[in-house]
Amino acid sequence: MRSAAVLICVIVLAAARTRADEVSQVALSNNHFARALFASVAAKQPGNIAFSPYSISTALALTYAGAKGPTAEEMAKVLHWESDPHPALAGLRRSRTEAGQHETVTLNVANAIWGQEGDEFLPEFLGVVGRHHAGCLHRVDFARKTEKARRTINDWVGLRTEGRIPELIGPDLLTPDTSLVLTNAVYFLGSWKYPFHGNRTADRDFELASGEKVKVPTMRCSARLRYSSHQMVELPYRGGRLTMTIAVQKSLYEVQPTLEDVYFA
């Protein structure tokens, strides 16, 4: 096997809406943000890394809806947004929702904002969140019932992730001074178009970046798959609209330069 492997799992789908060009542009912007974020995290955190650029950019989009002036300008620069991103992000969300409507695939994306009871929120801000991000304002009492607010948010996230994320908010994260929390939950469950049968899984050598070899259970599958010169392969899910893209590199340190020329959506 190769000396090291990096698996990058992404959902690839096509948006068929009136703002197709805008949706494609915001997807491309998200890819630029994802690569920059990956490079930053990888430089500070050795080992395996797992994160969802889509979830992070969505949460920041909710924040951006309430930003103005230099703050909004800096956020747009980091997220590579050249114009108002909210209509295109709404199209991207709809396309993901449509792609997840298949008997063999479940893809749920949910957004919410949690505000302190009694606080005032601008109607314009709530309108953008509701109209473009299908999010709504939930009132909780951070000031007097901090723990109850934490449990309420965690229950909401747990319900929308089929119990996979039972405690998004840790015990010490919220304080009585908290006034607003933004949440994004993504749940995905799909069946492979070309299944990996359990009886073909066997222990094989896997070489770590340090050069040490370890035995790992290795799945096997025989199928005709899309493959690129970047040593990337697409594994489709049943239904035809979603795939997992896996990048395998000769060296762990070759990942970032290679990703500069690869675009995910």
Side-chain angles (χ1 to χ4, degrees):
M1 298 185 65
R2 300 187 181 278
S3 58
V6 175
L7 275 68
I8 303 169
C9 306
V10 295
I11 297 174
V12 183
L13 39 86
R17 288 285 173 178
T18 55
R19 295 189 179 92
D21 291 342
E22 295 178 11
V23 171
S24 296
Q25 181 57 50
V26 81
L28 184 60
S29 297
N30 192 50
N31 296 336
H32 288 307
F33 169 70
R35 289 201 306 272
L37 181 60
F38 175 81
S40 178
V41 173
K44 301 175 183 177
Q45 178 181 319
N48 297 327
I49 301 170
F51 67 92
S52 170
Y54 175 68
S55 287
I56 296 171
S57 62
T58 298
L60 291 176
L62 299 179
T63 310
Y64 182 76
K68 290 184 178 180
T71 299
E73 293 173 4
E74 291 180 11
M75 291 185 69
K77 182 178 179 180
V78 170
L79 292 161
H80 299 272
W81 292 334
E82 299 178 358
S83 58
D84 178 9
H86 298 296
L89 287 169
L92 190 61
R93 177 184 53 80
R94 285 192 297 266
S95 70
R96 280 174 160 80
T97 301
E98 292 167 0
Q101 294 176 348
H102 190 274
E103 61 182 7
T104 63
V105 171
T106 301
L107 176 60
N108 298 328
V109 180
N111 301 309
I113 56 179
W114 308 82
Q116 171 63 37
E117 292 180 354
D119 284 0
E120 294 288 337
F121 295 93
L122 292 177
E124 294 83 357
F125 169 70
L126 298 179
V128 170
V129 171
R131 185 168 60 255
H132 296 301
H133 301 283
C136 59
L137 173 65
H138 301 264
R139 295 285 187 175
V140 291
D141 190 353
F142 295 114
R144 289 172 291 274
K145 299 178 181 179
T146 310
E147 178 58 22
K148 181 180 179 181
R150 185 182 78 89
R151 291 197 304 268
T152 299
I153 297 173
N154 284 339
D155 288 345
W156 182 90
V157 174
L159 180 64
R160 282 152 184 79
T161 59
E162 303 291 332
R164 298 285 181 169
I165 305 178
E167 191 176 49
L168 176 67
I169 307 296
D172 300 321
L173 188 59
L174 302 181
T175 73
D177 294 325
T178 301
S179 61
L180 183 69
V181 172
L182 309 175
T183 54
N184 167 265
V186 178
Y187 174 80
F188 174 73
L189 179 66
S191 299
W192 296 115
K193 182 177 181 180
Y194 306 109
F196 292 88
H197 297 291
N199 59 5
R200 299 194 66 186
T201 299
D203 287 346
R204 298 183 66 189
D205 286 339
F206 183 85
E207 189 171 338
L208 305 177
S210 63
E212 177 188 0
K213 288 186 178 181
V214 295
K215 292 287 187 181
V216 297
T218 304
M219 300 186 301
R220 299 185 64 183
C221 172
S222 298
R224 294 181 63 88
L225 303 169
R226 295 182 62 188
Y227 183 79
S228 81
S229 59
H230 291 91
Q231 295 181 277
M232 302 177 66
V233 63
E234 281 189 355
L235 302 179
Y237 292 98
R238 294 179 63 184
R241 295 196 64 186
L242 303 177
T243 70
M244 175 184 288
T245 301
I246 299 178
V248 183
Q249 303 300 324
K250 294 180 180 179
S251 167
L252 183 64
Y253 305 102
E254 292 182 10
V255 174
Q256 178 57 25
T258 300
L259 287 184
E260 288 298 325
D261 300 322
V262 177
Y263 296 91
F264 302 114

